[in-house]
Amino acid sequence: MRVLDILTALFCEKYGCYPEDVEMAASLDELNIAPHEREDMAMVLGEMYGIDFDDAVLFGFETVEDVVGYIEDILNEREGTA
């Protein structure tokens, strides 16, 4: 499953977003993802992908694309070193 699909499901299930609103260019603010929800999102995604999100990275995310890109970059790095 693609990272965007997982993120869309998470945002819809936990934070009340509509699937059609979760697109790469959408800002987390537009989706009403509050700071405490971003921390929760980081915990869920961290468990799924085995990624640690430090606060600087987490609160640096502005768009869905930022989150997807960060996760995909780490996954691609892992594949390259495996």
Side-chain angles (χ1 to χ4, degrees):
M1 186 177 260
R2 296 178 339 161
V3 174
L4 178 59
D5 295 334
I6 290 170
L7 206 56
T8 300
L10 174 68
F11 284 3
C12 293
E13 180 181 319
K14 292 192 81 160
Y15 312 123
C17 297
Y18 295 106
E20 62 272 12
D21 293 336
V22 184
E23 52 188 39
M24 294 293 271
S27 77
L28 299 179
D29 289 336
E30 290 171 342
L31 296 173
N32 295 316
I33 308 294
H36 70 280
E37 292 169 329
R38 292 176 194 207
E39 291 172 351
D40 180 67
M41 172 193 74
M43 288 185 351
V44 171
L45 294 171
E47 289 176 11
M48 287 180 100
Y49 293 108
I51 297 172
D52 290 323
F53 294 86
D54 65 36
D55 286 346
V57 169
L58 177 62
F59 292 105
F61 294 143
E62 293 184 18
T63 65
V64 171
E65 184 174 14
D66 293 339
V67 180
V68 170
Y70 181 78
I71 293 169
E72 287 179 346
D73 286 349
I74 290 176
L75 296 177
N76 288 335
E77 284 177 21
R78 285 183 187 163
E79 286 180 11
T81 60

